[in-house]
Structures are given as C-alpha cells and as structure tokens.
Amino acid sequence: MNPLRDHRAVPEPPRTPLALHHGVPGFQPTALRPAPELAARWGVGEVWLKDETARLGLPSFKIVGALWAVHRLLCTRLRVSPERTSYAELRQRLAGSDLGLLTASAGNWGRAVASAARWLGLRATILVPEATAEPRIHAVRAEGAEVRVVSGNFDVSVARAAELAGERDLLVADASEHPDDPFPGWVSEGYETLFAEIDEKFAASAEGGGDAEPDLVVVPVGAGALAAAAARHYGRTDSGTLLGVEPHEAAGAMASVRAGHIVTVPALTPTPMAGLNCGTPSATAWPALRDGFDAFCAIGDARAEHGMRLLDRAGVAAGACAGSVAGAVDGLLRPDACAGEAASAEAERLGLHGGSSVVLLLTEGVTDPEHHAKAMAGGRLVGEELAGEELAGG
Ligand SMILES: Cc1ncc(COP(=O)(O)O)c(C=O)c1O
C-alpha cells in the first residue's frame, strides 16, 4: 500500500478535451465491456473492461493523449486558443509547414505521435530502444514516420531524443524529468477523455440501480502519464481504490513510493509489457502518483501472459500491458488452494467485497502478434500454474 497517499493534495481533473476528440474524423468512445466470468472468478459484483484495443484505428489508448497534447503545443506556437481551434482548422493553418514531431517510444506512443503527425501533414521521427519487437517498429513505419533504433534502453532513447530536438523537430515526450515541462501534463489531460467515457457509462448504470463509481480501478503504469490522469480523476477522495501495475524489473513508481521521492530502477530486462518498461516515473506525473494511488503491484511476464489468456476468455484479444492488470488482479484475488486466506486479506486491503465493481484499463490490443500467439499457447487457466510466482506489492 502507498504510505504517501494524500487525497486532499491531488489536483482537480482538467476539463476533458472531448470536444476536440470528437472533431477528429472517425473518433468514437471505446467500449466498457462487462466481464461477468471475471467477476465470478474474483468474487466481486462487477468487472468492467475499458477496451482500448482499437482506438481511432490504432491498437492503444495513446492517440487520445497525443492528439490533445500536440494540438495544445501547436496552438501555443501559433498563438491561437486550443479550446477554440478545431483540429481541422489547425491542419489548415499548418499546410505547407516543414515542422516535424520527434519522440522516443517503445511503440504505442511513437505510433500515436506518428499518426497525429500524419493527420496534420507533419513529419515524424521516432526513436526506439534496441529491444523493441519488430512488429512494433513496422507499425510505426507504416504511419509514415522515420524510425531510428537506439542502442540502450528506453531512458537512453529519451535522452537521445532530447539531444536531437530543435525548432523544426519538436520534442513531444509523454514523460519528463523536469516537473514544469508542460507537454507530458497535456498528454495526461488528453487521457481524461478515457475517464469521462467511463463516467458516462457508470452514470447510465447508476440510473438503472448500479454503482455510480468503480470501487477499484487498475492502471498499468509506465512513465505515469496515464496513471496521473487516473489519479486526478479518481484519487481526490478516500473512497474507491486505485491500483497501479508495473513489471518487476521496471517498478519505478513502486520504488519511488517506498523511497518517498523519485528513484530510478535499471529497467534493463526486455519484457513483452514494453510500454511499461520504464525505470523512472515522469517528474510531471510523480506528485499525482504519490498522492493519488492507494497501492502498486509488480508482476512478472508469466503473470501478464496469464492475464492475456483470461482476457481472451472474456472475449478481448489484448497485449501484455492489458494482460498485466488482469493478471495482477487474478494474483491478488483468486482464492485458490495455495492462496485462499491471503487472497481474502488482499480483497479487504483493496476495499473489495461481493458487491464491488472493478474497472480494468485494457490499454493495448495485439501489438506483438508473435508474443500474443505464444501467450495463448502457454498454459492452463488455473491459479495454481503461477502459485510459485512472487507478486510484490507496495
Ligand atoms: C499499452 C500501454 N499501456 C500502458 C502504458 C503506460 O502509460 P504511461 O507511460 O502513461 O504510464 C503504455 C506506455 O507506453 C502503453 O503503451
């Protein structure tokens, strides 16, 4: 559990950029799918899957943050109001410009930035760490971006992107070590749309006698832009629980919460949870993570793959970052022969009971088909198969 939790310190959520998002051709809210078989498995009332496996033609949620943040950046440069300038107007104003967007990304962020650049008629250069799976690189190239493979991990790519940025190649990073850097904060603002969509569904369900708010929201954490948005949306009261999930070898948020300040963990081990393989929480996200999250949990690849199989059973083909949240909750709540008592103690610690509603953020679809096939082939759907695996909490 997070000893630094202080709900009164969490800032209000921003106004949602829904209007801009709805002005983008083809933009649709993504589904919040009920998963009754998971609710039964975990002994809770309802499980809802926020399905970001296909958002605006891309297999992850990241386009929602990229669109709003790039829009704000360019409107600021052009000295026009981001709220009053539509996406189409911005594109017209940029016609003929030689501007480019530049970022470091293991895949989904880069693909989202490349996509936003393509729609705006701008160049995009995406730096990827050397361990990035080939299908992810291919997908970024398919958006028309130039991809440069950097030797080293994600943090090295981030540093390299900062060196290459300039007046014509605008750095658009969703994380920063400088707390006052506005761009990553704008990315988080963009993600507010996800939570506004969840609110709409819960409001509709409350009219029918269901819960008005989820009791537990489970968020995969990389550099923390999405988690910061979740913290601002859900973390301002002491009701409900926010749980962050990270890979064992890249549990930077959990280490930072334990230390009481931002720390870096090496994050040198490749993992199929590529989007979460980030050793340092973003300085712009850190205050919201520190104040707004109730708990963090670190998992191994096998547990994320187990989560992918659970999701597949629930009808969603998803990647390892999405599998991580299902796998983590299954590890905490599945009352099997080995973990019966521990599981109910965990449920209590998370504030859950038989009527609770749980929301899992499924942040990506099948971004690495080879790994997805391997995960689907990889085991039985019983809790015991992972009984020996350590689930670190903090
Ligand atoms: C699929 C997926 N889920 C979750 C995350 C984590 O997002 P953040 O870096 O904002 O914490 C990422 C980041 O790349 C991602 O690609």
Side-chain angles (χ1 to χ4, degrees):
M1 303 304 280
N2 173 10
L4 308 175
R5 174 88 165 95
D6 179 2
H7 63 84
R8 284 158 308 197
V10 180
E12 277 189 32
R15 268 188 301 133
T16 165
L18 258 182
L20 171 91
H21 285 140
H22 280 280
V24 176
F27 190 91
Q28 294 283 339
T30 58
L32 188 66
R33 302 187 190 287
E37 57 297 313
L38 287 177
R41 181 177 171 93
W42 295 337
V44 295
E46 294 171 347
V47 172
W48 296 96
L49 307 175
K50 180 59 175 164
D51 185 348
E52 295 293 316
T53 61
R55 171 73 89 167
L56 209 51
L58 297 173
S60 100
F61 71 106
K62 293 241 160 177
I63 189 66
V64 176
L67 274 175
W68 173 244
V70 167
H71 182 82
R72 274 203 71 166
L73 175 74
L74 295 169
C75 286
T76 306
R77 271 179 76 99
L78 296 170
R79 296 178 204 281
V80 294
S81 155
E83 275 88 11
R84 276 186 245 121
T85 307
S86 77
Y87 175 76
E89 280 161 358
L90 179 65
R91 195 166 44 183
Q92 269 172 9
R93 280 172 178 267
L94 289 168
S97 127
D98 69 339
L99 275 181
L101 304 177
L102 170 76
T103 196
S105 167
N108 290 324
W109 173 250
R111 193 165 170 184
V113 167
S115 203
R118 183 168 55 76
W119 289 336
L120 287 166
L122 306 177
R123 288 178 295 106
T125 309
I126 313 296
L127 274 58
V128 302
E130 60 191 338
T132 306
E134 189 53 41
R136 295 189 208 273
I137 294 180
H138 181 76
V140 177
R141 281 212 181 98
E143 295 291 337
E146 180 191 347
V147 176
R148 295 196 200 166
V149 179
V150 175
S151 42
N153 68 358
F154 176 70
D155 292 347
V156 177
S157 308
V158 170
R160 187 84 189 102
E163 285 162 22
L164 290 174
E167 269 302 294
R168 297 281 118 215
D169 286 283
L170 307 177
L171 186 63
V172 288
D174 59 351
S176 174
E177 60 188 40
H178 305 293
D180 299 330
D181 193 346
F183 195 87
W186 296 339
V187 176
S188 284
E189 283 179 11
Y191 295 151
E192 170 61 17
T193 287
L194 242 88
F195 302 110
E197 289 174 1
I198 296 175
D199 278 355
E200 272 178 27
K201 287 283 186 181
F202 267 79
S205 124
E207 276 173 22
D211 276 352
E213 294 242 313
D215 296 296
L216 172 67
V217 179
V218 193
V219 186
V221 183
L226 176 65
R232 287 178 70 175
H233 195 87
Y234 294 111
R236 293 174 62 246
T237 67
D238 56 4
S239 68
T241 302
L242 256 185
L243 172 67
V245 179
E246 303 181 281
H248 267 312
E249 314 291 338
M254 191 159 82
S256 300
V257 157
R258 282 180 176 159
H261 55 87
I262 294 181
V263 297
T264 295
V265 300
L268 294 172
T269 314
T271 164
M273 294 176 269
L276 313 185
N277 200 9
C278 170
T280 315
S282 171
T284 45
W286 164 243
L289 298 190
R290 176 194 62 205
D291 299 331
F293 265 73
D294 296 281
F296 292 92
C297 167
I299 64 162
D301 293 347
R303 184 157 290 285
E305 287 162 3
H306 174 66
M308 289 165 72
R309 291 191 290 276
L310 287 173
L311 294 175
D312 187 65
R313 276 264 187 104
V316 183
C321 293
S324 76
V325 290
V329 175
D330 203 59
L332 293 167
L333 296 185
R334 170 89 173 142
D336 57 42
C338 305
E341 270 182 37
S344 53
E346 286 301 344
E348 209 177 298
R349 278 190 340 146
L350 295 172
L352 296 176
H353 51 76
S356 298
S357 51
V358 174
V359 170
L360 306 184
L361 298 188
L362 307 189
T363 51
E364 72 178 341
V366 180
T367 48
D368 182 349
E370 203 178 308
H371 174 256
H372 187 262
K374 180 186 150 243
M376 290 308 110
R380 297 169 303 136
L381 268 182
V382 292
E384 287 85 343
E385 91 195 54
L386 296 172
E389 199 224 16
E390 187 206 352
L391 247 161

